[in-house]
Amino acid sequence: MAEPDTFPATAFQRFTGLEPFPQPPVIPTEHPIVLMHGFGIGASFRRGGHLHKQAMHLRSRGVRAVAPNVSPYNTVRARCKMWRERLSHVLDETGAEQLSLIAHSMGGLDARYLISKEGWHETVGALVTVATPHRGSPAATLLLDQPDTVRKWITEMADWLGTHILEDGSANIRQALEEFTPNYVENVFNEEVPDHPNVEYWSYGCQAGKGTDIPIDPLFRYLNKYIHEREGVNDGIVSVRSARWGNYLGTVNADHARQVGLHSRLAASFDSNAFYTSIAERLAEEGL
Protein backbone atom coordinates (compact mmCIF):
# COMPACT_ATOMS: atom_id res chain seq x y z
CA MET A 1 0.00 0.00 0.00
CA ALA A 2 1.35 3.45 -0.96
CA GLU A 3 2.48 5.84 1.76
CA PRO A 4 -0.20 8.45 2.62
CA ASP A 5 1.94 11.38 1.50
CA THR A 6 2.75 9.84 -1.90
CA PHE A 7 -0.64 8.35 -2.76
CA PRO A 8 -2.25 11.53 -4.22
CA ALA A 9 0.76 12.19 -6.44
CA THR A 10 0.87 8.59 -7.66
CA ALA A 11 -2.84 8.54 -8.41
CA PHE A 12 -2.63 11.86 -10.27
CA GLN A 13 0.28 10.61 -12.38
CA ARG A 14 -1.64 7.49 -13.32
CA PHE A 15 -4.69 9.57 -14.20
CA THR A 16 -2.84 12.00 -16.45
CA GLY A 17 -0.73 9.31 -18.10
CA LEU A 18 1.97 11.80 -19.13
CA GLU A 19 5.35 10.40 -20.13
CA PRO A 20 8.62 12.24 -20.81
CA PHE A 21 8.55 11.21 -24.51
CA PRO A 22 4.99 10.23 -25.48
CA GLN A 23 5.63 10.24 -29.23
CA PRO A 24 6.90 7.08 -30.96
CA PRO A 25 10.63 7.26 -31.69
CA VAL A 26 11.87 8.76 -34.94
CA ILE A 27 12.98 6.17 -37.50
CA PRO A 28 16.47 7.34 -38.52
CA THR A 29 16.61 6.14 -42.12
CA GLU A 30 19.68 7.31 -43.99
CA HIS A 31 17.88 7.82 -47.30
CA PRO A 32 14.39 8.94 -48.36
CA ILE A 33 11.94 6.10 -48.97
CA VAL A 34 9.85 5.94 -52.13
CA LEU A 35 6.77 3.72 -51.99
CA MET A 36 6.01 2.37 -55.47
CA HIS A 37 2.49 1.17 -56.18
CA GLY A 38 1.42 -1.65 -58.44
CA PHE A 39 -1.20 -2.42 -61.06
CA GLY A 40 -4.85 -1.37 -60.85
CA ILE A 41 -7.25 1.42 -59.98
CA GLY A 42 -7.29 1.09 -56.19
CA ALA A 43 -5.64 4.51 -56.15
CA SER A 44 -8.78 6.06 -57.60
CA PHE A 45 -10.86 5.01 -54.60
CA ARG A 46 -8.89 7.03 -52.07
CA ARG A 47 -7.45 10.51 -52.12
CA GLY A 48 -3.72 10.48 -52.69
CA GLY A 49 -3.36 6.99 -54.15
CA HIS A 50 -2.55 3.44 -53.10
CA LEU A 51 0.26 4.12 -50.64
CA HIS A 52 -0.33 7.77 -49.72
CA LYS A 53 -1.66 6.91 -46.26
CA GLN A 54 1.35 4.73 -45.50
CA ALA A 55 3.75 7.44 -46.69
CA MET A 56 2.09 10.02 -44.46
CA HIS A 57 2.33 7.64 -41.51
CA LEU A 58 6.05 7.18 -42.16
CA ARG A 59 6.45 10.95 -42.26
CA SER A 60 4.90 11.10 -38.79
CA ARG A 61 7.82 8.91 -37.69
CA GLY A 62 10.41 11.24 -39.18
CA VAL A 63 10.95 9.35 -42.43
CA ARG A 64 11.27 11.30 -45.68
CA ALA A 65 8.66 9.16 -47.42
CA VAL A 66 6.99 9.77 -50.77
CA ALA A 67 4.36 7.73 -52.63
CA PRO A 68 4.09 9.05 -56.21
CA ASN A 69 1.48 7.82 -58.67
CA VAL A 70 2.04 6.53 -62.20
CA SER A 71 -0.33 5.02 -64.77
CA PRO A 72 -2.03 1.98 -63.24
CA TYR A 73 -2.64 0.08 -66.49
CA ASN A 74 0.50 0.19 -68.55
CA THR A 75 3.65 -1.81 -69.23
CA VAL A 76 6.76 -1.76 -67.07
CA ARG A 77 8.67 0.25 -69.67
CA ALA A 78 5.92 2.85 -70.01
CA ARG A 79 5.52 3.17 -66.24
CA CYS A 80 9.29 3.48 -65.82
CA LYS A 81 9.31 6.60 -67.98
CA MET A 82 7.03 8.12 -65.35
CA TRP A 83 8.96 6.67 -62.41
CA ARG A 84 12.17 8.27 -63.69
CA GLU A 85 10.55 11.69 -63.49
CA ARG A 86 9.00 10.94 -60.08
CA LEU A 87 12.24 9.67 -58.54
CA SER A 88 14.25 12.56 -59.98
CA HIS A 89 11.75 14.93 -58.38
CA VAL A 90 12.25 13.25 -55.00
CA LEU A 91 16.03 13.60 -55.30
CA ASP A 92 15.71 17.28 -56.18
CA GLU A 93 13.18 17.95 -53.42
CA THR A 94 15.13 16.19 -50.66
CA GLY A 95 18.68 16.91 -51.82
CA ALA A 96 19.44 13.22 -51.32
CA GLU A 97 21.91 11.25 -53.40
CA GLN A 98 20.40 7.84 -52.73
CA LEU A 99 16.94 6.36 -52.24
CA SER A 100 15.42 3.23 -50.74
CA LEU A 101 12.48 1.74 -52.63
CA ILE A 102 9.57 -0.20 -51.13
CA ALA A 103 7.54 -1.57 -54.01
CA HIS A 104 4.17 -3.30 -53.94
CA SER A 105 3.15 -5.83 -56.58
CA MET A 106 3.98 -4.67 -60.14
CA GLY A 107 5.88 -1.75 -58.64
CA GLY A 108 8.61 -4.25 -57.81
CA LEU A 109 9.05 -5.17 -61.48
CA ASP A 110 9.17 -1.46 -62.32
CA ALA A 111 11.88 -0.95 -59.71
CA ARG A 112 13.94 -3.91 -60.89
CA TYR A 113 13.80 -2.56 -64.46
CA LEU A 114 14.89 0.92 -63.36
CA ILE A 115 17.83 -0.50 -61.42
CA SER A 116 19.00 -3.02 -64.01
CA LYS A 117 18.22 -1.35 -67.34
CA GLU A 118 18.16 2.39 -66.69
CA GLY A 119 21.14 2.98 -64.43
CA TRP A 120 19.34 3.57 -61.14
CA HIS A 121 21.67 1.14 -59.35
CA GLU A 122 23.82 4.19 -58.64
CA THR A 123 20.94 5.85 -56.79
CA VAL A 124 19.01 2.98 -55.18
CA GLY A 125 20.61 1.39 -52.14
CA ALA A 126 17.88 -1.13 -51.42
CA LEU A 127 14.73 -2.49 -53.02
CA VAL A 128 12.11 -4.14 -50.82
CA THR A 129 9.32 -5.84 -52.76
CA VAL A 130 5.94 -6.82 -51.31
CA ALA A 131 3.85 -9.42 -53.16
CA THR A 132 5.65 -8.69 -56.42
CA PRO A 133 5.07 -11.26 -59.19
CA HIS A 134 8.75 -11.98 -59.81
CA ARG A 135 7.64 -15.08 -61.71
CA GLY A 136 4.41 -13.64 -63.06
CA SER A 137 0.81 -14.34 -62.04
CA PRO A 138 -1.69 -16.85 -63.46
CA ALA A 139 -4.30 -14.12 -62.92
CA ALA A 140 -2.94 -12.33 -66.01
CA THR A 141 -3.19 -15.48 -68.10
CA LEU A 142 -6.77 -16.02 -66.95
CA LEU A 143 -7.82 -12.50 -67.93
CA LEU A 144 -6.21 -12.82 -71.34
CA ASP A 145 -8.02 -16.12 -71.92
CA GLN A 146 -11.48 -14.57 -71.50
CA PRO A 147 -13.87 -14.46 -74.50
CA ASP A 148 -13.22 -11.66 -76.98
CA THR A 149 -16.24 -9.61 -75.86
CA VAL A 150 -15.22 -9.76 -72.20
CA ARG A 151 -11.58 -9.02 -72.98
CA LYS A 152 -12.58 -6.09 -75.21
CA TRP A 153 -14.80 -4.62 -72.47
CA ILE A 154 -12.04 -4.95 -69.85
CA THR A 155 -9.46 -3.44 -72.19
CA GLU A 156 -11.56 -0.44 -73.19
CA MET A 157 -12.61 0.35 -69.62
CA ALA A 158 -9.13 -0.03 -68.13
CA ASP A 159 -7.44 1.94 -70.91
CA TRP A 160 -9.91 4.80 -70.46
CA LEU A 161 -9.38 4.84 -66.69
CA GLY A 162 -5.61 4.58 -66.99
CA THR A 163 -5.46 7.45 -69.45
CA HIS A 164 -7.68 9.82 -67.48
CA ILE A 165 -6.75 9.11 -63.87
CA LEU A 166 -3.56 11.20 -64.16
CA GLU A 167 -2.75 14.36 -66.10
CA ASP A 168 0.12 12.52 -67.79
CA GLY A 169 -1.68 9.17 -67.77
CA SER A 170 -1.46 6.52 -70.46
CA ALA A 171 -2.59 2.92 -70.75
CA ASN A 172 -2.07 -0.35 -72.58
CA ILE A 173 -3.62 -3.01 -70.38
CA ARG A 174 -3.51 -5.75 -73.02
CA GLN A 175 0.26 -5.51 -73.39
CA ALA A 176 0.69 -5.02 -69.64
CA LEU A 177 -1.18 -8.27 -68.96
CA GLU A 178 0.89 -10.10 -71.57
CA GLU A 179 4.02 -9.00 -69.70
CA PHE A 180 2.48 -10.05 -66.38
CA THR A 181 2.08 -13.72 -67.32
CA PRO A 182 4.35 -16.39 -65.79
CA ASN A 183 5.70 -17.31 -69.21
CA TYR A 184 6.79 -13.76 -70.02
CA VAL A 185 8.19 -12.82 -66.61
CA GLU A 186 10.15 -16.03 -66.14
CA ASN A 187 11.45 -16.47 -69.68
CA VAL A 188 11.83 -12.90 -70.92
CA PHE A 189 11.78 -10.30 -68.14
CA ASN A 190 13.96 -12.17 -65.66
CA GLU A 191 16.46 -13.01 -68.38
CA GLU A 192 16.70 -9.39 -69.53
CA VAL A 193 16.57 -7.76 -66.09
CA PRO A 194 19.24 -9.29 -63.82
CA ASP A 195 19.78 -8.04 -60.29
CA HIS A 196 22.57 -5.53 -59.80
CA PRO A 197 25.27 -6.56 -57.29
CA ASN A 198 25.40 -3.08 -55.73
CA VAL A 199 21.75 -3.13 -54.64
CA GLU A 200 20.14 -4.94 -51.70
CA TYR A 201 17.10 -6.98 -52.79
CA TRP A 202 14.62 -7.97 -50.06
CA SER A 203 11.17 -9.45 -50.49
CA TYR A 204 7.97 -10.39 -48.70
CA GLY A 205 5.30 -12.80 -49.86
CA CYS A 206 1.69 -12.59 -48.73
CA GLN A 207 -1.00 -15.16 -48.11
CA ALA A 208 -4.73 -15.44 -47.45
CA GLY A 209 -7.63 -17.69 -48.36
CA LYS A 210 -7.07 -21.14 -49.84
CA GLY A 211 -4.46 -23.20 -48.00
CA THR A 212 -4.39 -20.81 -45.02
CA ASP A 213 -6.64 -19.86 -42.12
CA ILE A 214 -6.53 -16.17 -43.16
CA PRO A 215 -9.86 -14.75 -44.42
CA ILE A 216 -9.70 -13.24 -47.90
CA ASP A 217 -11.83 -10.56 -49.53
CA PRO A 218 -14.67 -12.26 -51.48
CA LEU A 219 -13.58 -10.36 -54.61
CA PHE A 220 -10.41 -12.45 -54.64
CA ARG A 221 -11.90 -15.88 -53.90
CA TYR A 222 -12.09 -17.17 -57.45
CA LEU A 223 -8.60 -15.96 -58.38
CA ASN A 224 -7.30 -17.22 -55.04
CA LYS A 225 -8.55 -20.74 -55.80
CA TYR A 226 -7.37 -20.56 -59.42
CA ILE A 227 -3.83 -19.52 -58.44
CA HIS A 228 -3.71 -22.01 -55.55
CA GLU A 229 -4.35 -24.88 -57.97
CA ARG A 230 -1.35 -23.78 -60.04
CA GLU A 231 1.15 -22.21 -57.64
CA GLY A 232 -0.04 -22.87 -54.11
CA VAL A 233 -0.61 -20.35 -51.33
CA ASN A 234 -1.25 -16.81 -52.57
CA ASP A 235 -2.88 -13.47 -51.72
CA GLY A 236 -5.51 -13.50 -54.46
CA ILE A 237 -3.17 -12.11 -57.14
CA VAL A 238 0.41 -13.25 -56.47
CA SER A 239 1.63 -16.54 -55.03
CA VAL A 240 4.21 -16.74 -52.27
CA ARG A 241 6.41 -18.73 -54.65
CA SER A 242 6.33 -15.92 -57.19
CA ALA A 243 6.97 -13.22 -54.58
CA ARG A 244 10.23 -14.71 -53.29
CA TRP A 245 13.23 -12.72 -54.52
CA GLY A 246 16.66 -11.97 -53.11
CA ASN A 247 16.69 -12.01 -49.32
CA TYR A 248 13.25 -13.36 -48.40
CA LEU A 249 12.09 -11.71 -45.17
CA GLY A 250 8.89 -13.65 -44.58
CA THR A 251 5.25 -14.24 -45.43
CA VAL A 252 2.61 -11.70 -44.40
CA ASN A 253 -0.97 -12.67 -43.56
CA ALA A 254 -2.92 -10.30 -45.80
CA ASP A 255 -4.65 -10.38 -49.16
CA HIS A 256 -3.51 -8.17 -52.03
CA ALA A 257 -5.83 -5.28 -51.19
CA ARG A 258 -5.17 -5.24 -47.45
CA GLN A 259 -1.45 -4.86 -48.13
CA VAL A 260 -2.09 -1.31 -49.33
CA GLY A 261 -4.69 -0.48 -46.71
CA LEU A 262 -7.85 -1.16 -48.72
CA HIS A 263 -10.30 -2.51 -46.17
CA SER A 264 -12.95 -5.19 -46.24
CA ARG A 265 -14.95 -6.38 -43.25
CA LEU A 266 -14.82 -9.89 -44.67
CA ALA A 267 -11.01 -10.03 -44.97
CA ALA A 268 -8.46 -10.54 -42.22
CA SER A 269 -7.50 -7.51 -40.16
CA PHE A 270 -4.12 -6.08 -41.18
CA ASP A 271 -2.30 -2.92 -40.12
CA SER A 272 -0.57 -1.77 -43.29
CA ASN A 273 0.88 1.30 -41.55
CA ALA A 274 2.60 -0.90 -38.98
CA PHE A 275 3.88 -3.22 -41.72
CA TYR A 276 5.53 -0.49 -43.79
CA THR A 277 6.85 1.08 -40.60
CA SER A 278 8.56 -2.21 -39.73
CA ILE A 279 10.25 -2.18 -43.15
CA ALA A 280 11.48 1.38 -42.59
CA GLU A 281 12.83 0.37 -39.19
CA ARG A 282 14.71 -2.51 -40.78
CA LEU A 283 16.19 -0.22 -43.41
CA ALA A 284 17.33 2.15 -40.66
CA GLU A 285 18.95 -0.72 -38.76
CA GLU A 286 20.91 -1.57 -41.90
CA GLY A 287 22.06 2.03 -42.31
CA LEU A 288 19.90 2.58 -45.38
Side-chain angles (χ1 to χ4, degrees):
M1 184 174 180
E3 294 294 329
D5 59 332
T6 63
F7 176 75
T10 302
F12 180 73
Q13 187 179 46
R14 288 178 178 174
F15 176 75
T16 61
L18 290 178
E19 299 177 4
F21 296 96
Q23 297 79 27
V26 168
I27 303 173
T29 54
E30 182 70 19
H31 311 303
I33 290 177
V34 178
L35 302 176
M36 299 175 65
H37 71 80
F39 191 81
I41 62 170
S44 68
F45 298 137
R46 54 194 305 181
R47 188 174 298 277
H50 273 303
L51 295 167
H52 170 71
K53 176 183 174 183
Q54 291 76 16
M56 295 305 291
H57 181 76
L58 288 176
R59 288 189 181 193
S60 75
R61 296 292 303 275
V63 178
R64 293 172 292 171
V66 186
N69 293 308
V70 300
S71 292
Y73 292 122
N74 217 329
T75 64
V76 167
R77 289 168 182 79
R79 283 161 56 100
C80 281
K81 290 180 181 178
M82 304 179 78
W83 283 123
R84 287 199 306 268
E85 185 275 327
R86 288 1 180 210
L87 298 186
S88 295
H89 176 85
V90 174
L91 291 172
D92 291 341
E93 183 179 65
T94 62
E97 295 183 355
Q98 278 204 311
L99 302 170
S100 294
L101 307 181
I102 302 176
H104 178 251
S105 194
M106 184 183 180
L109 299 182
D110 297 342
R112 285 177 53 199
Y113 189 89
L114 285 169
I115 292 166
S116 178
K117 304 294 284 185
E118 301 200 0
W120 282 82
H121 63 275
E122 297 179 354
T123 306
V124 176
L127 166 62
V128 186
T129 61
V130 179
T132 288
H134 293 291
R135 294 165 187 81
S137 172
T141 306
L142 178 64
L143 288 172
L144 289 168
D145 286 344
Q146 295 304 301
D148 289 345
T149 53
V150 175
R151 193 168 59 242
K152 182 175 183 292
W153 179 81
I154 292 173
T155 299
E156 290 178 351
M157 179 184 67
D159 283 351
W160 187 91
L161 288 169
T163 301
H164 292 89
I165 201 168
L166 286 168
E167 286 186 7
D168 56 349
S170 59
N172 186 349
I173 190 174
R174 177 64 184 268
Q175 186 61 36
L177 288 173
E178 293 281 359
E179 296 180 9
F180 211 35
T181 62
N183 181 58
Y184 182 87
V185 179
E186 291 198 83
N187 298 317
V188 179
F189 186 87
N190 287 346
E191 291 294 321
E192 295 180 353
V193 185
D195 288 351
H196 196 281
N198 293 351
V199 177
E200 295 279 348
Y201 292 84
W202 304 346
S203 65
Y204 288 90
C206 299
Q207 63 178 2
K210 192 76 173 174
T212 77
D213 58 358
I214 311 302
I216 194 167
D217 190 302
L219 291 173
F220 289 122
R221 282 180 185 163
Y222 180 79
L223 283 174
N224 180 237
K225 180 176 181 292
Y226 181 85
I227 296 170
H228 186 269
E229 291 171 351
R230 289 154 179 80
E231 297 186 358
V233 173
N234 64 88
D235 64 1
I237 298 293
V238 179
S239 70
V240 170
R241 183 185 76 83
S242 185
R244 289 178 178 269
W245 197 260
N247 180 14
Y248 189 68
L249 300 182
T251 304
V252 177
N253 294 329
D255 67 35
H256 210 71
R258 297 288 285 180
Q259 295 155 26
V260 294
L262 294 175
H263 299 291
S264 168
R265 294 180 181 178
L266 300 177
S269 176
F270 180 71
D271 188 340
S272 61
N273 283 343
F275 173 61
Y276 288 96
T277 296
S278 72
I279 298 176
E281 289 172 336
R282 188 156 193 159
L283 288 167
E285 290 171 2
E286 296 294 327
L288 294 165

